[in-house]
């Protein structure tokens, strides 16, 4: 048990001053600006927005600066900030089929309508340190342009290509959605069994490392569903809201997102013909590793609806969903460093008492 | 959402509000000087920063779920003749939301003031085309190796 303690105010104040000095580093080096973080550390910004579950690149940049680059601490700052704001409402579901595409690849079809658009990717780089980046005065690079743009109406691999043959399960959708509730983890506590809406929200804001490791475990045999990446998309989508004061939906702006759709094996059952199954990943920003891993774990967590035996951690929704949130995790893991003096004092007393009792019962052992 | 049911007026207003939301405060301010400077107005709702929960669909097309929130700023104004305008913009720029609301009302008052939106729309289109052309340059061209003989 953690017991509140008093005192130490001056030490705390001085510790925070020291933290600020360490954050600044050598004052002879120019201070990093938040817009530099926003523009040049975009993948850190993406991660902080995804796990902070709050899309705002400026805020994420500030959080990264304030947290000295500790991304989980930055996520914590984002989560804390959002609690100070009112909720205006829910957006209409974004349409990733009309994304302004920066990247779109498929691992299942080589030649497909719209093509394989690599976009800004680390894939196929040699992972050699580029020392020219440490040199000052680097010339700004201009990317090549094609005479024609990307076709933003290109088909979706799973729905438009694979489904065409009926070879993949359909995503279910009720005919009238106006009365269908959508679970919201920011409004209600996690309960089990959790429906897919809650699972997807949880995974999207879950810790990248945790989701990555779980996804990896499914590939190594801890849940049998061999996955292919049917399609990855990264780009911007429009967000719309239907405010109560207007009788039509309006555009709010664009957000960058990454989407991954996996195709998984399924043998079929007595009633259903053999069919591929699906796993879905969607995150704020450019966040491909997370989106792929999320799609693997989403598929693994669909075990019950597929009638599969739960044998592995990634299939156990209580295990996955209860431990994916890095703010909850870091809060509980790190709190044991805070003063537990009274608690520990009683443990000390107890151990001493047990040792005394044992010595009285077995005096010869104590003598050895 | 019954989107098909929009009237022509609603569709036009929606389209114009979108142009305002896609622009920045810096872009809109000079046009306000030109078309609305010194117009008296009052707030129905002062500029206010808040959150909108963004929704996605499982598999892109299926069941809805809550992806995460985004910051949004909104504002509602009333011009002196009673015309009401609403502004909703991504991010935390209060003046941007205010300008969006002011123009939303101003366009109703005087349709001819909306002409400058073409400039902003063209700018957005150029930015999108430029991005899209750069992405298109990374499209993989598969080719089949041709054998040397016959």
């Amino acid at each position: 048990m953690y017991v509140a303690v008093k005192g130490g105010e001056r030490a705390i104040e001085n510790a925070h001053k020291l933290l600020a000095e360490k954050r600044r580093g050598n004052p002879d080096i120019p201070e990093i600006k938040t817009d530099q973080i926003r523009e040049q550390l975009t993948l850190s910004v993406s991660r902080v927005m995804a796990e902070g579950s709050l899309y705002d690149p400026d805020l994420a940049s500030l959080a990264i600066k304030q947290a000295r680059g500790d991304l989980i601490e930055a996520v914590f700052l984002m989560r804390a900030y959002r609690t100070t704001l009112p909720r205006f409402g829910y957006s209409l579901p974004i349409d990733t089929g009309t994304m302004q595409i920066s990247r779109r690849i498929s691992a299942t079809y080589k030649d497909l309508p719209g093509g394989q658009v690599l976009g800004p990717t680390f894939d196929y780089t040699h992972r050699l340190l580029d020392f020219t980046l440490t040199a000052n005065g680097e010339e700004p690079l201009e990317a090549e342009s094609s005479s024609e743009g990307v076709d933003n109406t290109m088909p979706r691999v799973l729905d438009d290509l694979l489904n065409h043959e009926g070879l993949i399960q359909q995503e279910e959708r009720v005919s009238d959605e106006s009365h269908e509730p959508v679970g919201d983890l920011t409004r209600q506590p996690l309960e089990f069994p959790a429906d897919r809406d809650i699972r997807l929200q949880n995974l999207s804001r879950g810790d990248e490392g945790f989701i990555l490791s779980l996804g990896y475990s499914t590939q190594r045999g801890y849940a049998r569903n061999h996955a292919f990446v049917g399609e990855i998309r990264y780009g911007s989508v429009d967000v719309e809201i239907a405010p109560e004061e207007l009788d039509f939906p309006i555009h709010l702006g664009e957000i960058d997102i990454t989407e991954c759709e996996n195709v998984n094996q399924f043998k079929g059952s007595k009633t259903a013909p053999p069919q591929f199954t699906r796993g879905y990943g969607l995150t704020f920003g450019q966040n491909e590793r997370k989106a792929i891993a999320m799609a693997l774990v989403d598929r693994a967590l669909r075990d019950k609806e597929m009638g599969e035996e739960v044998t592995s951690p990634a299939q156990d929704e209580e295990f996955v969903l209860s431990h994916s949130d890095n703010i909850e995790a870091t809060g509980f893991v790190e709190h044991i460093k805070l003063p537990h003096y009274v608690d520990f004092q009683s443990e000390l007393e107890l151990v001493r008492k047990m040792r005394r009792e044992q010595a009285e019962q077995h005096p010869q052992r104590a003598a050895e | 959402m019954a989107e098909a049911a929009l009237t022509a007026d609603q569709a036009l207003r929606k389209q114009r509000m979108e142009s305002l939301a896609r622009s920045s405060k810096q872009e809109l301010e000079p046009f306000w000087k030109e078309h609305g400077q010194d117009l008296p107005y009052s707030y129905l709702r002062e500029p206010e920063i808040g959150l909108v929960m963004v929704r996605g669909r499982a598999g892109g097309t299926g069941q809805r779920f809550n992806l995460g929130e985004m910051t949004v700023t909104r504002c509602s104004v009333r011009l002196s003749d009673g015309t009401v305008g609403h502004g909703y913009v991504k991010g935390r720029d209060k003046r941007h939301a205010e300008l969006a609301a002011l123009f939303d009302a101003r366009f109703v008052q005087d349709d001819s003031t909306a002409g400058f939106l073409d400039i902003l729309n063209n700018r957005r289109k150029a930015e999108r085309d430029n991005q899209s052309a750069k992405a298109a340059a990374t499209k993989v061209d598969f080719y089949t190796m041709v054998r040397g003989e016959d």
Side-chain angles (χ1 to χ4, degrees):
Chain A
M1 186 178 64
Y2 169 71
V3 180
V5 284
K6 281 190 164 191
E9 284 91 347
R10 188 170 2 123
I12 291 170
E13 194 180 315
N14 289 345
H16 290 171
K17 279 185 181 159
L18 184 57
L19 171 72
E21 188 181 296
K22 286 288 178 188
R23 174 192 299 126
R24 178 60 184 86
N26 181 350
D28 296 337
I29 306 292
E31 185 178 351
I32 193 167
K33 293 191 170 64
T34 53
D35 53 3
Q36 292 174 320
I37 295 173
R38 188 193 64 222
E39 295 300 316
Q40 298 174 37
L41 296 180
T42 40
L43 302 190
S44 295
V45 170
S46 289
R47 182 170 177 188
V48 169
M49 294 195 301
E51 293 167 31
S53 202
L54 178 59
Y55 193 95
D56 188 318
D58 293 310
L59 279 180
S61 307
L62 170 60
I64 290 167
K65 176 173 174 173
Q66 188 178 330
R68 304 173 66 194
D70 178 340
L71 299 188
I72 292 183
E73 183 71 19
V75 167
F76 202 160
L77 294 170
M78 295 287 273
R79 294 273 187 96
Y81 178 80
R82 73 158 284 282
T83 64
T84 66
L85 297 178
R87 169 80 68 81
F88 293 164
Y90 293 87
S91 84
L92 273 61
I94 54 172
D95 182 3
T96 53
T98 58
M99 183 187 293
Q100 157 102 6
I101 287 173
S102 294
R103 170 168 167 81
R104 185 271 203 138
I105 54 164
S106 170
T108 54
Y109 291 105
K110 184 177 70 148
D111 291 304
L112 73 171
Q116 309 267 0
V117 180
L118 299 180
T121 180
F122 291 125
D123 294 354
Y124 315 113
T125 62
H126 296 293
R127 267 75 185 207
L128 299 173
L129 280 173
D130 178 2
F131 289 97
T132 61
L133 292 175
T134 62
N136 290 328
E138 183 210 12
E139 291 290 314
L141 296 169
E142 184 72 19
E144 299 293 327
S145 286
S146 189
S147 55
E148 270 183 49
V150 174
D151 173 14
N152 288 326
T153 61
M154 63 177 70
R156 300 175 67 83
V157 170
L158 270 63
D159 287 309
D160 301 328
L161 302 180
L162 259 174
N163 192 33
H164 193 62
E165 292 181 73
L167 293 178
I168 192 154
Q169 67 177 158
Q170 297 235 37
E171 288 290 359
E172 301 297 330
R173 192 160 148 181
V174 297
S175 53
D176 178 15
E177 289 184 323
S178 54
H179 299 297
E180 187 198 42
V182 183
D184 187 349
L185 288 169
T186 68
R187 292 290 166 93
Q188 70 232 36
L190 183 60
E191 283 175 3
F192 302 103
D195 201 3
R196 186 135 177 250
D197 51 354
I198 288 287
R199 300 199 302 255
L200 288 170
Q201 182 181 12
N202 177 289
L203 294 177
S204 188
R205 55 192 260 145
D207 183 74
E208 180 176 313
F210 181 74
I211 309 293
L212 173 68
S213 293
L214 282 173
Y216 182 39
S217 74
T218 70
Q219 293 180 299
R220 292 192 66 255
Y222 290 88
R224 297 154 297 170
N225 43 63
H226 184 66
F228 299 95
V229 167
E231 185 170 18
I232 288 174
R233 287 176 177 225
Y234 159 64
S236 60
V237 292
D238 293 343
V239 183
E240 289 197 332
I241 187 177
E244 53 196 23
E245 62 269 32
L246 290 165
D247 36 18
F248 55 92
I250 57 166
H251 172 97
L252 285 178
E254 296 172 1
I255 59 170
D256 280 7
I257 55 156
T258 307
E259 180 185 49
C260 175
E261 292 213 80
N262 282 353
V263 182
N264 299 265
Q265 282 175 351
F266 182 51
K267 287 193 174 71
S269 67
K270 284 176 192 135
T271 52
Q275 206 178 25
F276 289 114
T277 58
R278 316 166 63 127
Y280 190 61
L282 186 69
T283 74
F284 284 150
Q286 186 176 7
N287 233 324
E288 194 161 296
R289 180 188 304 123
K290 169 73 173 288
I292 299 170
M294 175 177 167
L296 289 171
V297 178
D298 172 48
R299 173 61 188 84
L301 290 175
R302 302 182 71 187
D303 44 23
K304 281 200 279 293
E305 63 183 280
M306 310 285 179
E308 293 162 348
E309 198 188 345
V310 178
T311 56
S312 305
Q315 294 169 295
D316 180 339
E317 68 173 16
E318 191 161 343
F319 177 79
V320 174
L321 304 182
S322 303
H323 299 112
S324 62
D325 191 287
N326 54 24
I327 300 311
E328 284 174 15
T330 203
F332 205 66
V333 165
E334 291 201 52
H335 101 283
I336 61 172
K337 72 189 171 186
L338 298 173
H340 282 69
Y341 307 137
V342 177
D343 219 15
F344 187 67
Q345 206 61 39
S346 71
E347 301 260 314
L348 264 181
E349 292 298 326
L350 187 62
V351 174
R352 284 183 184 133
K353 180 163 165 271
M354 286 163 73
R355 287 170 63 96
R356 260 197 321 272
E357 283 169 3
Q358 196 189 46
E360 283 161 14
Q361 280 163 19
H362 309 282
Q364 73 282 20
R365 197 188 293 173
E368 282 165 14
Chain B
M1 194 49 53
E3 204 162 335
L6 290 199
T7 65
D9 279 354
Q10 285 176 334
L12 180 67
R13 188 172 176 200
K14 176 182 158 80
Q15 195 188 342
R16 287 174 171 175
M17 289 177 86
E18 176 170 342
S19 301
L20 295 167
R22 284 188 195 278
S23 306
S24 66
K25 167 181 70 182
Q26 286 77 9
E27 286 178 303
L28 294 176
E29 202 78 73
F31 292 111
W32 184 246
K33 283 208 170 68
E34 187 181 331
H35 297 293
Q37 182 87 319
D38 303 332
L39 272 189
Y41 65 93
S42 56
Y43 291 122
L44 284 178
R45 176 154 58 204
E46 288 195 30
E48 175 189 24
I49 300 171
L51 301 168
V52 166
M53 176 58 91
V54 180
R55 283 186 168 159
R57 288 189 180 280
T61 54
Q63 178 189 357
R64 297 171 300 168
F65 70 96
N66 291 310
L67 174 63
E69 289 162 315
M70 66 189 283
T71 52
V72 170
T73 307
R74 67 179 176 186
C75 176
S76 296
V77 297
R78 190 202 305 267
L79 302 185
S80 51
D81 68 351
T83 312
V84 169
H86 303 292
Y88 275 81
V89 298
K90 176 182 80 170
R92 288 169 294 116
D93 191 328
K94 290 184 173 180
R95 180 62 178 161
H96 185 192
E98 184 176 15
L99 285 168
L102 285 168
F103 274 119
D104 181 44
R106 186 78 182 104
F107 296 157
V108 174
Q109 217 177 37
D110 179 359
D111 192 69
S112 69
T113 56
F116 75 91
L117 290 181
D118 289 342
I119 300 170
L120 301 181
N121 292 341
N122 289 338
R123 228 178 259 170
R124 293 295 91 76
K125 184 174 182 309
E127 287 163 5
R128 289 170 76 102
D129 288 351
N130 181 35
Q131 273 207 339
S132 194
K134 285 180 180 172
T138 69
K139 197 191 286 186
V140 179
D141 281 324
F142 287 106
Y143 55 89
T144 312
M145 301 294 279
V146 181
R147 281 182 295 170
E149 55 261 68
D150 50 65

